[in-house]
Amino acid sequence: MRHMDLGPLFRRLLAGMSAAGAPFDVRACVEGHNIRFTNALDDEAERFEHELLQQPIVPCNDTVGHDGSLTSETGCVALHVRQRIAWLRHSDAEVRLLQVRSSDRHPSMQAAIVVDRPRWSPWLGEAVAPRLGHAVSGLEELYGLRLLRTLCGASCDLVTLRLQAGRLGVHALCDFEQRARRAGFVLAEPEGVTRTLLLDLRASSGDLLASLSAKTRRKVRARESSPFEIRPITDTVHIEALKAAALASIRRTGGTNSRAPWGPLLALARDEPTRARVLALFRRGGQDVPLAFAAAVRHGALAEYMSAGSIDDAELRAQPFNYFLLWELADWARASGATHLDLGGLTEGGPEDALAGISTFKRHFTCAEAEVGREMIAVLRPGAQLLLDGMRRIRAHAEARP
């Protein structure tokens, strides 16, 4: 990786940043680029983001999808919802934001990283850039990735930096991987979604329904005679019920914990209803308590089926309620401007796959598979990483003891 000299002033400012997440706002001109590295999600940051979304992408391989039909918002940088200021403002996560203007003073790249600190080691953090979108060109992305690695490396509390690129298709992901390698990252075992199914929404709801199997059509239409109704929700009063439904589903597939960001998701659905949607299933004439839910977010032409869950209820499980919810989300995504719905990941199946049933359910709607993610990591402090890994092994061993 080429060394990037941030200058003495910039390095002193970074050295003074607090590991506890105190406010900071570092600005400098480096190699002709104007740089801002901050945890202030203010109006200035949002104006930058709005400008960036208007910048054209320099044509290159990584702006074209696997079939050429879905790129990003035409002529705009594809900043995913979970990289958007509107989302981050509603989050209680520790966030650091990099915004770069190129030598022509136009916005060229934005990257938001979320810092996760173990409760038992709060002085050390592992940084993740979730669903990282395009820069305006490959060259600007390479510059931005090098800069991001250098800045995080200068932050004395960060141990690793993981990039979770959100791109569509093998060519785009390979292009990103090559640039990330040149910036000092290596390929990592993915922690997020990298393969998914894409539901094509360009047909009308009626035409899409007609293209499905007779069995799937019957399940979608069973909603009309079911004892349940679907309503969009934005009120935080439902958070505990949503958590309970999510946790019940996770436990049925062998998991133990749900980390869905309900506060940010409900707030975004309230403030920007074409960018996020939370649908809840209620018993007709019953208590105002969700029995099941499904949630999605939209970034340009692509919507993402983000989370779903349901409580253990005999009457509920007698109905194909998950078909009702997914179909309603697809209608919302189409009406909001999406041409495709990412069904939220895909597993290989088989007897050892606890999520095989979920993948089978999704395949009733489409078999169009796509690669949508690639993860790269830079170890910023190898000694601290060994310490964290060792502490995790000790804790896992202690928790496994009877």
Side-chain angles (χ1 to χ4, degrees):
M1 182 189 74
R2 179 174 65 84
H3 174 70
M4 181 172 285
D5 185 7
L6 298 180
L9 176 62
F10 210 15
R11 288 199 297 274
R12 283 199 302 272
L13 288 168
L14 284 169
M17 285 166 46
S18 168
F24 68 89
D25 196 342
V26 180
R27 302 165 190 258
C29 182
V30 179
E31 299 179 354
H33 289 71
N34 284 330
I35 297 159
R36 187 186 188 201
F37 190 50
T38 183
N39 59 3
L41 305 177
D42 53 19
D43 291 343
E44 179 185 349
E46 195 155 20
R47 286 194 298 272
F48 175 98
E49 179 179 272
H50 179 74
E51 285 184 60
L52 181 57
L53 287 167
Q54 312 310 313
Q55 297 300 309
I57 295 176
V58 174
C60 59
N61 288 341
D62 64 353
T63 63
V64 180
H66 70 293
D67 62 356
S69 63
L70 178 65
T71 55
S72 57
E73 295 179 76
T74 304
C76 296
V77 176
L79 290 174
H80 289 284
V81 166
R82 277 173 267 179
Q83 283 274 327
R84 292 284 178 88
I85 303 296
W87 174 274
L88 299 171
R89 276 179 166 169
H90 291 300
S91 172
D92 57 1
E94 181 184 341
V95 178
R96 301 182 184 184
L97 182 69
L98 172 66
Q99 295 182 323
V100 183
R101 291 184 183 270
S102 58
S103 55
D104 62 5
R105 300 296 183 263
H106 289 123
S108 59
M109 180 175 173
Q110 174 173 298
I113 62 170
V114 176
V115 180
D116 182 45
R117 298 182 187 276
R119 289 191 302 273
W120 37 269
S121 181
W123 60 90
L124 295 175
E126 295 169 302
V128 179
R131 290 302 184 97
L132 186 62
H134 291 273
V136 296
S137 71
L139 287 175
E140 290 297 335
E141 181 165 74
L142 175 59
Y143 180 86
L145 293 178
R146 283 172 168 162
L147 179 62
L148 185 64
R149 189 192 187 286
T150 302
L151 289 166
C152 290
S155 303
C156 59
D157 58 317
L158 297 184
V159 178
T160 56
L161 171 60
R162 177 180 290 265
L163 307 177
Q164 296 177 322
R167 312 291 162 91
L168 178 62
V170 174
H171 293 304
L173 293 167
C174 286
D175 286 346
F176 173 81
E177 180 184 338
Q178 290 173 6
R179 282 192 285 277
R181 287 184 183 277
R182 291 175 64 188
F185 295 83
V186 296
L187 194 64
E189 190 69 23
E191 295 181 351
V193 172
T194 58
R195 290 176 57 245
T196 194
L197 292 166
L198 288 179
L199 179 62
D200 193 334
L201 302 177
R202 289 174 292 184
S204 68
S205 181
D207 288 344
L208 180 57
L209 184 63
S211 71
L212 303 179
S213 70
K215 184 176 181 180
T216 301
R217 291 199 301 271
R218 284 196 300 271
K219 289 183 175 181
V220 170
R221 288 170 174 156
R223 171 184 171 184
E224 299 169 6
S225 57
S226 80
F228 303 104
E229 62 179 353
I230 295 174
R231 299 201 304 265
I233 58 173
T234 59
D235 196 329
T236 55
V237 72
H238 295 300
I239 285 182
E240 291 307 314
L242 295 172
K243 286 181 178 179
L247 189 57
S249 293
I250 289 169
R251 286 174 174 165
R252 287 195 293 270
T253 56
T256 59
N257 188 32
S258 171
R259 300 181 64 183
W262 290 116
L265 187 55
L266 289 168
L268 189 63
R270 180 194 65 226
D271 297 342
E272 298 193 49
T274 65
R275 291 205 175 276
R277 191 76 155 181
V278 182
L279 296 175
L281 194 77
F282 298 87
R283 186 174 278 107
R284 296 183 197 273
Q287 294 181 333
D288 191 34
V289 178
L291 305 176
F293 74 89
V297 292
R298 182 185 66 85
H299 27 268
L302 183 64
E304 178 190 351
Y305 183 53
M306 184 180 174
S307 184
S310 60
I311 65 169
D312 296 318
D313 180 275
E315 186 180 18
L316 180 65
R317 310 227 75 77
Q319 296 283 333
F321 66 91
N322 46 352
Y323 288 78
F324 309 163
L325 289 165
L326 180 53
W327 193 254
E328 184 79 4
L329 276 183
D331 283 344
W332 164 81
R334 183 188 296 104
S336 297
T339 61
H340 291 75
L341 176 62
D342 174 348
L343 294 188
L346 182 66
T347 57
E348 297 291 346
E352 303 300 320
D353 182 5
L355 302 176
I358 298 174
S359 294
T360 299
F361 158 67
K362 294 174 182 178
R363 285 192 173 98
H364 288 309
F365 291 88
T366 180
C367 291
E369 295 188 25
E371 278 197 66
V372 292
R374 182 124 342 153
E375 300 196 15
M376 310 292 292
I377 195 168
V379 178
L380 308 174
R381 285 174 176 73
Q385 185 194 36
L386 289 174
L387 175 63
L388 280 180
D389 290 346
M391 292 174 72
R392 285 194 176 102
R393 285 194 294 270
I394 292 171
R395 288 176 61 85
H397 178 71
E399 291 172 358
R401 293 176 62 182

